[in-house]
Amino acid sequence: MSRPELQAPPEIYYGDTEAKKYTKNTRNQQIQADMTYRALELLNLPPDEPAFLLDIGCGSGLSGEILDEEGYLWAGVDIAPSMLEVALEREVEGDLFLQDIGQGFGFRPGSFDGAISISVLQWLLNAETSHPTSSPPHRLNRFFTTLHSALRNPSRAVFQFYPSSDDQIQLITSIAQKAGFGGGVVVDYPNSNKARKVFLCLYVGGGGGQQQQIPQGLDGDVVEDGKVRFEKRRARDLRKDKNGKRKSQKVIDRDWILRKKELYRKRGKESVPRDSKFTGRKRKPVF
Amino acid sequence: MVRLLTHNLLACHVKGCTSNNFPLQFQNVQIELREADFNADFLKNFLPKLEWKALVDSAKDLGDTSLPLEQPEMLDDEFLKNLHHVLLEIHVEEGSMTCPNCKHSYPISNGIPNMLLAEHEIG
Ligand SMILES: C[S@@+](CC[C@H](N)C(=O)[O-])C[C@H]1O[C@@H](n2cnc3c(N)ncnc32)[C@H](O)[C@@H]1O
Ligand SMILES: [Zn+2]
């Protein structure tokens, strides 16, 4: 099967059925969670400072849930109503927007302390119509320009994505540079077919932190099935069963929500909403 | 789930609409109140990002008049509690947000604003 972004526009591809399938798949949950942790690591936020983040192409909230768990407040944008609907059902805590990132943002200057985007950018490389505003370079330019101004100076935006050629990486980075970003590309596990991951790390100003060079990609330590061990990955949140295997998490139900609230309470967060008969209730469909 | 936290950061992004395009005006809203974690450090960090007058006015539109007209120098507990409530606990579930300049209306459905533009509105 060809890559999803070649099959249909995103809001069509991620329709009701695919949105549910995508979100329920425990292996997919794991992969998205791991990449989100890695993106947060590359974001290099000042430790112990509260931050307000943007999740670009937040989808059904698999990446946003990690932001919740890590205690960040965030806003998320996505073009697929069905994905956002699943995010609502899962009660993620970010403010959600139905938005096409290729049309640019209206966020005021300096709104966000950082941005992440997990498995999204490759979708901007395909033209949907012949209208001039729908050519990939035009959309990328609009996207990066308005994102650059929405970010605080200094700060970073980290994108994990699936380029299909070096030319695509070249196109994306050159447009990002013209929009004012510094930074570059980090490739984790470059020699592993399965574990290889591409991260575009963009800096506003110096990017924050002392270190202004592009971070090193990870290497080595790839387990057989192609899953990688990220440095600080989930260390605090790992729930393992007796055999030391990760439990599949995040099935959308009341239990899951109660577990999540319990987790928050343990971390000493105040005023986690009390459990009520509405906890885990089904919400109305979105659109 | 649009809250004043993000509403206060949001200007109109229609092509050529670059002045007097903030704050978007709430219309026909339905709101829901939901408790959120109180975090004083977050609020203090967030304060410099806020457009104070827009926040006070929009809060008033949503029926909350707890904020002072001028942003106070001293951040006492009561002020932070009120700010917390206004920014994080008032959810606009239905209605719309209209640009004061070009009048583009962004509908809000199930807490999610629709920010999509028509082709001729794209910059
Ligand atoms: C593979 S999913 C990733 C979702 C989420 N970040 C995660 O980690 O699970 C890709 C998402 O990108 C969104 N997307 C694709 N093109 C987009 C665009 N032009 N504007 C906003 N979102 C877009 C899709 O709707 C989809 O939800
Ligand atoms: Zn406007």
Side-chain angles (χ1 to χ4, degrees), chain A residues 41-82:
Chain A
E41 200 169 81
L42 293 169
L43 210 51
N44 196 30
L45 293 161
D48 308 316
E49 220 177 84
F52 188 57
L53 305 180
L54 179 62
D55 187 353
I56 300 163
C58 61
S60 55
L62 295 183
S63 40
E65 275 166 9
I66 306 298
L67 302 181
D68 286 342
E69 283 184 13
E70 293 292 302
Y72 295 112
L73 273 76
W74 56 280
V77 299
D78 202 283
I79 198 175
S82 303

Side-chain angles (χ1 to χ4, degrees), chain B residues 11-14 17-21 24 99-104 106:
Chain B
C12 179
H13 68 135
V14 166
C17 187
T18 49
S19 60
N20 186 34
N21 60 348
L24 303 176
C99 171
N101 181 42
C102 76
K103 308 297 176 205
H104 180 100
Y106 300 92

Side-chain angles (χ1 to χ4, degrees), chain B residues 64-81:
Chain B
D64 189 297
T65 53
S66 64
L67 296 179
L69 292 182
E70 299 289 331
Q71 188 174 323
E73 313 250 302
M74 279 286 295
L75 309 178
D76 61 26
D77 280 358
E78 194 198 325
F79 168 73
L80 288 175
K81 285 262 144 64

Side-chain angles (χ1 to χ4, degrees), chain A residues 10 14 22 32 57-59 63 78-80 99-101 118-119 123:
Chain A
Y14 293 103
Y22 174 89
Q32 300 309 111
C58 61
S63 40
D78 202 283
I79 198 175
Q99 187 151 11
D100 175 359
I101 58 173
I118 310 297
S119 317
W123 283 96

Side-chain angles (χ1 to χ4, degrees), chain B residues 35-79:
Chain B
E35 243 178 84
D37 304 339
F38 179 77
N39 182 338
D41 289 337
F42 177 83
L43 296 171
K44 287 176 192 161
N45 266 22
F46 204 81
L47 262 177
K49 294 180 182 169
L50 291 168
E51 282 284 344
W52 192 255
K53 187 180 172 332
L55 183 66
V56 174
D57 290 348
S58 308
K60 209 158 95 202
D61 290 342
L62 301 182
D64 189 297
T65 53
S66 64
L67 296 179
L69 292 182
E70 299 289 331
Q71 188 174 323
E73 313 250 302
M74 279 286 295
L75 309 178
D76 61 26
D77 280 358
E78 194 198 325
F79 168 73

Side-chain angles (χ1 to χ4, degrees), chain A residues 121-254:
Chain A
L121 217 45
Q122 68 276 2
W123 283 96
L124 279 191
L125 295 163
N126 299 292
E128 247 89 71
T129 71
S130 57
H131 196 273
T133 56
S134 75
S135 80
H138 185 96
R139 285 165 57 76
L140 285 164
N141 178 48
R142 186 84 192 135
F143 168 62
F144 283 125
T145 312
T146 53
L147 175 65
H148 186 271
S149 92
L151 288 165
R152 201 186 67 182
N153 184 354
S155 68
R156 296 185 185 184
V158 175
F159 303 78
Q160 178 278 328
F161 73 114
Y162 296 106
S164 58
S165 68
D166 286 347
D167 283 356
Q168 289 193 337
I169 299 184
Q170 188 55 43
L171 175 72
I172 288 178
T173 47
S174 73
I175 296 176
Q177 266 164 20
K178 268 189 229 133
F181 283 106
V185 169
V186 175
V187 182
D188 283 354
Y189 306 102
N191 303 316
S192 158
N193 266 343
K194 277 179 165 172
R196 184 173 190 272
K197 289 285 177 301
V198 179
F199 291 86
L200 175 65
C201 300
L202 297 181
Y203 297 179
V204 177
Q210 287 87 350
Q211 173 203 22
Q212 299 205 2
Q213 295 142 303
I214 312 302
Q216 290 265 307
L218 303 178
D219 213 341
D221 200 17
V222 178
V223 290
E224 319 79 63
D225 62 351
K227 282 192 201 146
V228 294
R229 296 180 208 287
F230 290 136
E231 286 147 30
K232 289 186 232 159
R233 136 178 159 174
R234 313 212 82 180
R236 267 173 290 166
D237 306 320
L238 273 175
R239 266 197 295 268
K240 292 189 177 163
D241 66 16
K242 287 187 264 30
N243 309 317
K245 272 192 155 159
R246 286 186 66 76
K247 281 195 194 161
S248 60
Q249 306 175 329
K250 314 254 164 101
V251 187
I252 320 159
D253 60 14
R254 185 165 193 275

